[in-house]
Amino acid sequence: MQETKSNIMSSVIPKVKRKKEKKKSWNKIVQNWELYIFIAPAFLYFLIFHYGPMYGIQIAFKNFVPTKGIMGSSWVGFDHFTRFFNSYYFWDLLWNTLSISLYELAVGFPIPIILALAFNEVKNGSFKKLAQTVTYAPHFISVVVMGGMIITFLSPSSGMAVHLIEWLGFDAPQFLTDPKWFKTMYVFSGVWQSAGWGTIIYLAALSGVDPQQHEAAIIDGASRLQRIRYINIPVIIPTMTILLILNVGSLLGVGFEKILLLQNPLNMGASDVISTFVYRSGLVDAQYSFSTAVGLFNSVVNAFLLITVNQIVRRTNENSLW
Amino acid sequence: MVVTVKESGRDKAFAIGIYIYVFLAFIIVAYPVVYMLSASISDPKLVSSGEMWLWPKGITFDGYKRVFENASIWRGYGNTILYTVIGTLINLIVTLPAAYALSRKDFVGRNFFMGMFMVTMFFGGGLVPSYLLIKNLGMVDTIWAIVIPSAASIWNIIVSRTFFQSTIPNELQEAAQIDGCTNMRLFFQIVLPLSMPIIAVMGLFYGVGNWNSYFSALIYLNDENKFPLQLILRQILVLQEMSAQPGGSMDATTALALNNKAEVAALVKYAVIIVATLPIIAIYPFLQRYFVQGVMIGSVKG
């Protein structure tokens, strides 16, 4: 997820600048007919596997019966949405989803930035290389193994983290089953796994700083901290802005795969988020229409957040996504 | 450093602080990994009591023995390799030609295709409609349900497109076209050989993703014989279904299980984590360059 988020930096929203004659472009189409073969697999893939499900969204407004199919099922309007909004768990789900995301944003967003600035200050080549290699590595650990590690390390009486806390003289809480600890466990394991990898994109931006700027600043008597503050940080602000927009845009799209693995009946009060609820009600309990409605609510809020934040950023500076 | 201005005391203190900070980050990440390696070959009693805290104590390879005797782990490994190889091939076949087409300025309709692909980044059909689609296509419980729904990622298409745009000079393809070279030949005989770095990066990104993914297998596969490693791991690590599983040495397992089931289960967990993660962690330092390159290409706002 981390690298996919960062990759959007390159995203170019198509700029329509076409004022060429139709004939000319027709010639180009004919001349480059093979390029359409090149794009065909991707086109078909997105059409079938991304736009296809969008067609299926209509079951959120229907009472989907598998034997009748998507078209044959009867319309019920906003019934499923009303049921969801009026259900006793609606506010809990929304709160859990938002609070986990905001917690993650508050902790997980600044740490890679600080780490990248620190890496950038380390001049010892081999130590820097080692620290980078090691901190990047957890990015490649699968979410299942990550879940297994968390459960093993935090297991009461025998887990490594529990021993550590007791060694420091504290009473270790019941991390896995106490709802109070679920969010912290989720957020900090995420930081452990992805903070190092998250520095790459900032280090890339920092590598563009002209060393002469630093030399000049040193001669002018700037301290290290001042140089970071006035030279390095301004360079990474565009990157920060774009990542922030993306993070806010996925506030309701928390790391659902990990939550699903860490969820248990005892911590459900804090760990049930919209996406795990969609999974449970949709695929486990086969309430297809209801679950689709909940999922649609989630995507619409996400899209809305993304557009809003981007709009705000666009008003204030030039680093918006589009 | 060309300039050698003496660092002030405050700067030195600050530099030391930074070294300590980076060192701490290093320890925090490295310690659990070292601990798991040690725990996987230590006496489970010493591990659970906390006596083993860094280096292995009371060395035993029992955990690995059990892991390797477990037929479902082997089968999972085999399935994962199959899904990863086929999946990654499909990923590359879909991604690279499309990215190349999109990188061409004279490709009429590139904005349309790009826009169509990018919409899916922000809005999708959701879980249930996707599931119903796969089901209607008759792909449930087949390898295709694992490799086809994730055949391409828009991020990787964008990264590859940026690579092609910035490394393949326009003049090259213009010259090739004047010489009567078809786009097909141009792509396969000129562009691809020049694009080895991006092929490597894409292969790695997709490969790791395929190796680590569990969710599509969880929802689309019912037959245990088709489970990839990650689903088997989920059973062992998260659902804790190990010790009772009929493996190679059932009798020894039951006897031990009666005595210290929990501790042995923990030992097996550590071993299984190492066995599942080692292939990637072991090759990663050698390929780090490529991974980092991939992220950096992606970060160029093109």
Side-chain angles (χ1 to χ4, degrees):
Chain A
M1 198 57 204
Q2 195 66 40
E3 95 268 17
T4 53
K5 268 185 191 164
S6 38
N7 286 346
I8 199 185
M9 312 286 308
S10 68
S11 61
V12 183
I13 308 299
K15 292 170 198 151
V16 187
K17 279 202 277 189
R18 252 159 227 293
K19 281 180 191 166
K20 283 161 196 164
E21 291 165 52
K22 273 186 181 169
K23 207 177 175 186
K24 219 174 174 184
S25 64
W26 180 248
N27 282 343
K28 273 188 188 166
I29 293 174
V30 174
Q31 192 190 5
N32 289 328
W33 64 275
E34 287 152 308
L35 295 181
Y36 296 91
I37 297 177
F38 285 175
I39 203 140
F43 174 73
L44 288 175
Y45 164 71
F46 281 100
L47 188 70
I48 297 171
F49 292 96
H50 288 268
Y51 286 85
M54 288 186 204
Y55 167 79
I57 284 178
Q58 56 176 287
I59 67 171
F61 306 96
K62 287 182 164 182
N63 237 342
F64 177 67
V65 182
T67 48
K68 288 186 188 164
I70 292 173
M71 284 309 283
S73 302
S74 54
W75 293 95
V76 294
F78 284 87
D79 279 11
H80 298 297
F81 292 91
T82 329
R83 194 180 130 208
F84 177 57
F85 296 143
N86 292 328
S87 66
Y88 67 94
Y89 43 73
F90 171 69
W91 292 107
D92 280 350
L93 285 177
L94 195 63
W95 165 248
N96 284 340
T97 313
L98 274 177
S99 58
I100 291 178
S101 293
L102 288 172
Y103 191 177
E104 195 180 24
L105 190 63
V107 178
F109 186 69
I111 287 181
I113 299 173
I114 300 168
L115 196 59
L117 290 170
F119 276 153
N120 199 48
E121 292 300 308
V122 174
K123 301 295 175 224
N124 181 333
S126 54
F127 173 61
K128 185 177 177 177
K129 185 104 208 300
L130 179 70
Q132 283 181 313
T133 305
V134 168
T135 51
Y136 294 173
H139 173 76
F140 298 100
I141 294 176
S142 76
V143 60
V144 175
V145 168
M146 201 55 214
M149 281 171 61
I150 296 169
I151 291 171
T152 319
F153 284 160
L154 298 181
S155 80
S157 81
S158 68
M160 178 266 272
V162 173
H163 286 310
L164 202 65
I165 292 167
E166 281 167 357
W167 180 71
L168 291 169
F170 299 101
D171 276 338
Q174 298 282 325
F175 288 108
L176 297 169
T177 48
D178 188 345
K180 265 194 307 204
W181 282 95
F182 181 82
K183 287 162 192 166
T184 304
M185 176 172 87
Y186 172 83
V187 167
F188 281 87
S189 62
V191 167
W192 183 83
Q193 182 166 25
S194 52
W197 189 256
T199 62
I200 296 178
I201 192 152
Y202 293 111
L203 288 172
L206 284 172
S207 68
V209 175
D210 184 354
Q212 284 185 346
Q213 263 189 306
H214 277 286
E215 286 163 15
I218 293 172
I219 290 170
D220 289 346
S223 72
R224 270 190 176 224
L225 197 60
Q226 282 172 323
R227 281 187 282 131
I228 293 177
R229 167 73 186 80
Y230 294 104
I231 301 176
N232 289 348
I233 290 184
V235 168
I236 58 172
I237 279 184
T239 312
M240 280 167 59
T241 317
I242 287 186
L243 289 186
L244 192 66
I245 298 175
L246 286 172
N247 275 316
V248 173
S250 56
L251 270 186
L252 289 195
V254 284
F256 148 68
E257 296 197 343
K258 193 163 91 185
I259 294 184
L260 195 65
L261 291 167
L262 295 175
Q263 219 167 43
N264 59 48
L266 293 168
N267 66 20
M268 210 63 162
S271 67
D272 207 15
V273 294
I274 297 177
S275 43
T276 54
F277 180 77
V278 168
Y279 168 71
R280 220 173 41 250
S281 63
L283 297 187
V284 180
D285 301 339
Q287 304 182 45
Y288 292 130
S289 283
F290 178 62
S291 166
T292 306
V294 178
L296 179 60
F297 163 73
N298 197 346
S299 341
V300 169
V301 174
N302 269 341
F304 174 76
L305 281 175
L306 187 74
I307 293 167
T308 313
V309 176
N310 190 66
Q311 215 61 29
I312 294 170
V313 172
R314 198 159 69 168
R315 292 264 162 88
T316 49
N317 65 36
E318 299 146 16
N319 300 319
S320 63
L321 217 51
W322 66 81
Chain B
M1 269 281 177
V2 188
V3 195
T4 46
V5 174
K6 217 181 167 192
E7 288 206 314
S8 69
R10 255 183 65 202
D11 268 8
K12 264 187 195 153
F14 185 69
I16 292 170
I18 282 184
Y19 273 80
I20 293 175
Y21 178 79
V22 171
F23 186 70
L24 268 180
F26 166 75
I27 293 292
I28 290 171
V29 173
Y31 178 62
V33 178
V34 174
Y35 180 91
M36 282 192 298
L37 271 171
S38 299
S40 71
I41 53 169
S42 292
D43 184 342
K45 279 202 176 61
L46 299 175
V47 175
S48 74
S49 70
E51 272 177 74
M52 194 298 302
W53 66 276
L54 182 63
W55 302 121
K57 264 190 184 159
I59 291 184
T60 164
F61 293 97
D62 202 35
Y64 288 100
K65 223 181 92 196
R66 278 155 192 279
V67 168
F68 289 124
E69 277 170 357
N70 188 309
S72 58
I73 290 180
W74 282 110
R75 205 171 44 231
Y77 237 97
N79 287 336
T80 291
I81 292 172
L82 179 74
Y83 299 159
T84 302
V85 170
I86 295 190
T88 308
L89 276 177
I90 293 177
N91 294 146
L92 293 179
I93 292 169
V94 175
T95 302
L96 293 175
Y100 175 67
L102 290 169
S103 77
R104 288 272 298 261
K105 293 208 169 55
D106 57 343
F107 176 48
V108 178
R110 70 199 283 245
N111 291 334
F112 162 76
F113 287 113
M114 207 58 213
M116 176 199 162
F117 295 172
M118 299 238 330
V119 166
T120 64
M121 252 180 350
F122 307 115
F123 193 76
L127 185 64
V128 172
S130 308
Y131 174 79
L132 292 175
L133 175 76
I134 302 295
K135 208 174 150 190
N136 289 338
L137 292 173
M139 292 180 5
V140 168
D141 238 355
T142 66
I143 176 177
W144 309 116
I146 308 296
V147 295
I148 301 282
S150 56
S153 108
I154 177 64
W155 311 96
N156 288 339
I157 290 181
I158 292 172
V159 171
S160 312
R161 189 198 62 165
T162 309
F163 177 90
F164 289 132
Q165 265 171 355
S166 55
T167 51
I168 311 291
N170 250 337
E171 295 76 25
L172 187 69
Q173 43 129 333
E174 274 164 22
Q177 278 182 331
I178 289 167
D179 288 349
C181 175
T182 63
N183 278 314
M184 205 60 93
R185 257 189 80 191
L186 178 68
F187 180 64
F188 284 105
Q189 294 190 350
I190 300 171
V191 174
L192 277 191
L194 286 173
S195 307
M196 281 307 155
I198 198 67
I199 299 174
V201 167
M202 285 300 116
L204 289 170
F205 275 176
Y206 279 125
V208 170
N210 290 332
W211 183 276
N212 281 344
S213 84
Y214 87 95
F215 192 65
S216 50
L218 175 71
I219 58 179
Y220 297 130
L221 295 184
N222 304 314
D223 181 358
E224 278 210 36
N225 289 321
K226 290 177 183 149
F227 280 6
L229 184 62
Q230 299 298 331
L231 270 195
I232 309 286
L233 291 178
R234 175 173 168 269
Q235 292 178 336
I236 297 170
L237 295 172
V238 180
L239 308 177
Q240 333 238 5
E241 286 171 1
M242 180 68 179
S243 0
Q245 290 281 321
S249 60
M250 182 62 189
D251 288 0
T253 314
T254 8
L256 260 167
L258 287 172
N259 290 330
N260 41 20
K261 198 176 159 189
E263 280 164 1
V264 173
L267 178 68
V268 169
K269 277 189 189 183
Y270 290 118
V272 101
I273 288 175
I274 301 295
V275 168
T277 314
L278 209 59
I280 287 180
I281 298 284
I283 56 164
Y284 146 74
F286 303 101
L287 304 172
Q288 188 187 348
R289 195 159 71 82
Y290 292 105
F291 283 114
V292 172
Q293 212 177 356
V295 177
M296 293 207 181
I297 297 169
S299 72
V300 181
K301 200 173 176 180

